[in-house]
Amino acid sequence: MNISISNILDQIISSVPLFKPELALIIGFVLSIFSSLFLHRIYKHCTYVATLLTLGIVGYLLFEQLGQVSIGFSNMWIVDPMSSYARIITIISAFVITLFIGSRHSDNNGDIYSVLLAAILGTHILASTSNWLLAFIGIEMVSIASYILVGYFSKNKGQAEASMKYALFGSVCAAVMLYGLSLIYGLTGNLDFQAAAHLQGLMAAPELMTSLALLFTLVGIGFKLGFVPFHVWTPDVYQGAPTSITAFLSTVPKVGALILFTRLYQSYSSTNFYFSELINWYVVLVAIATMLVGNLAALRQTDVKRMMAYSSIGHTGFLLMAIYAYQDSSAFLFFYICAYVLMNLAAFLFIDQLEYLTKSTLISSYGGLGKKMPVLFTAFSLVCISLIGLPPTIGFIGKLMVFTALFDFTGDYNNTAVILLLVVGALTSVISLFFYFRIPLYAFLRKEENISQEKTAPNMLLYISYLFTLLLILLGLFPSFLIDIFN
């Protein structure tokens, strides 16, 4: 027994260096609570500054891990390029979102930063594990933190209702996922979905039980990604939450959940057993349904945040298609993830600026404003062009790469599935043109409506949004820069 405990302790101690970025996050989390409680009276922005410093330190530690391939904590923690790049993307996104929150909610809101750091820690767990138990802990960390973030600034009945819907729907999805995980553990006796013993246990189990267990387990991942049919919370929550929190929900949690789902898909689809075909068709059908529902529903929206919610659902379908297309290469998948995060952050930064000016998120409130704010609406239009997937933007290159990878599928994959994905992907890209172009249409071609507007000087968020717009163009013209980094 002593030898066993000694070995376990040695293994844990040797694994601690792999966990350095997350330890920094935990320390930052504690410091943010401490500064919010005791240092706020001395300097009211202390928690904000502490959070930014924490994210900077974590980013530095993550760059140190680039190129490293290691497994620790009894095969529960994975450090590889996929994990490192995903965590770097989330840290950069979180840094921008922290600036976003600090600019819009500067009053005594120190608690929000500790919750944000907890959510980022949960996202890191999702990106760095193949263990179902740790994955469930990560999902719940992100989910509970997200519930708090959505409800923290609620000032009216609609925002409180959005927060409640989100929490209730998330709790049900978590319960269903936990039941599925209990079935999987009962069938396999192993919680590492990349382990041979886990896959053999699924192969030996009755097909009906395996199918039910997998479908129940995917409910939790579906909730975090927001794909059909687990998308119903998205429009109300995106509309009801403050725009800074909506920007967080549309980017950071999705990156971690995408990497977890990518690892799961690569593991399960690599076998020759029946559930490989099951998960292949699951991804295909869910991707098709998500693209169709997201883009068709977005056509009917008059509120720009609800439109972006359905747009996010549609892009989730396209991200699933990218996972299906890039089973052997993560470089192009990360390129599309970067494009998605960059486009969404830029879009919500512009939406926030316009919400501040017009006191409205209705698309009709943009009527005639293109002549008064030509630079802002030109940049916003370029972001919309990238979201559609038109040249010369990063969105075009990302979609072109996914379509090219699908065209290359010949004998090893189901040709019917590939054709369906190609047709629906192209069709929904055309459909998206109609609702994204409503923004420049109202701004430049419609008359100005009688809505009170507040003059404001250019601010940090506006400069960041312009920088992101420039990056969308430059990375569209020179995509090899980003692809070479991921390779």
Side-chain angles (χ1 to χ4, degrees), residues 218-466:
L218 289 170
V219 168
I221 300 175
F223 167 71
K224 288 318 312 166
L225 286 175
F227 59 64
V228 174
F230 312 110
H231 68 290
V232 292
W233 61 272
T234 311
D236 289 339
V237 173
Y238 275 42
Q239 185 181 14
T243 307
S244 55
I245 304 304
T246 306
F248 166 81
L249 293 174
S250 70
T251 53
V252 175
K254 284 197 173 185
V255 175
L258 273 169
I259 300 307
L260 176 67
F261 188 73
T262 302
R263 291 188 194 278
L264 175 68
Y265 180 67
Q266 289 175 347
S267 175
Y268 282 4
S269 64
S270 62
T271 71
N272 294 319
F273 204 56
Y274 87 96
F275 63 81
S276 297
E277 191 70 15
L278 173 70
I279 199 164
N280 270 321
W281 273 107
Y282 180 87
V283 170
V284 170
L285 295 176
V286 166
I288 289 170
T290 304
M291 286 189 285
L292 286 172
V293 170
N295 286 281
L296 290 172
L299 286 170
R300 300 173 56 86
Q301 305 308 313
T302 56
D303 186 286
V304 69
K305 286 170 75 174
R306 284 188 77 88
M307 188 196 80
M308 285 301 298
Y310 283 110
S311 159
S312 178
I313 293 168
H315 275 282
T316 299
F318 213 91
L319 284 162
L320 291 176
M321 190 163 79
I323 291 172
Y324 183 87
Y326 296 120
Q327 296 183 39
D328 300 321
S329 173
S330 61
F332 296 112
L333 175 62
F334 272 109
F335 183 90
Y336 195 83
I337 290 173
C338 277
Y340 170 80
V341 170
L342 200 58
M343 293 185 297
N344 272 266
L345 285 177
F348 281 111
L349 285 167
F350 283 123
I351 289 168
D352 176 76
Q353 292 291 320
L354 293 166
E355 184 181 1
Y356 182 76
L357 289 167
T358 64
K359 309 301 180 187
S360 172
T361 56
L362 294 175
I363 300 174
S364 59
S365 67
Y366 300 163
L369 294 183
K371 296 176 183 177
K372 292 190 174 184
M373 294 175 280
V375 177
L376 188 152
F377 273 102
T378 299
F380 198 0
S381 299
L382 288 170
V383 173
C384 291
I385 287 169
S386 187
L387 285 163
I388 294 165
L390 297 177
T393 62
I394 192 173
F396 169 73
I397 299 298
K399 288 193 173 183
L400 180 66
M401 287 177 177
V402 175
F403 283 129
T404 303
L406 284 172
F407 271 120
D408 290 340
F409 280 179
T410 52
D412 294 334
Y413 297 92
N414 191 309
N415 286 328
T416 306
V418 173
I419 292 168
L420 284 172
L421 285 171
L422 286 170
V423 170
V424 174
L427 177 65
T428 52
S429 295
V430 173
I431 292 171
S432 68
L433 184 103
F434 292 95
F435 59 82
Y436 284 125
F437 270 4
R438 290 171 67 198
I439 292 171
L441 172 69
Y442 271 89
F444 293 108
L445 300 177
R446 295 290 171 89
K447 292 182 180 180
E448 183 178 349
E449 303 221 354
N450 294 322
I451 296 176
S452 63
Q453 296 168 28
E454 193 173 307
K455 297 287 184 181
T456 183
N459 54 58
M460 178 179 58
L461 293 180
L462 193 58
Y463 289 131
I464 292 173
S465 57
Y466 288 152

Side-chain angles (χ1 to χ4, degrees), residues 21-58:
E22 288 65 40
L23 284 175
L25 270 176
I26 293 168
I27 293 168
F29 172 77
V30 174
L31 286 176
S32 67
I33 295 175
F34 178 84
S35 61
S36 177
L37 288 173
F38 302 110
L39 302 179
H40 178 76
R41 292 179 182 178
I42 301 171
Y43 177 54
K44 69 175 185 178
H45 299 301
C46 58
T47 311
Y48 172 67
V49 173
T51 303
L52 291 176
L53 286 173
T54 298
L55 294 174
I57 292 167
V58 172

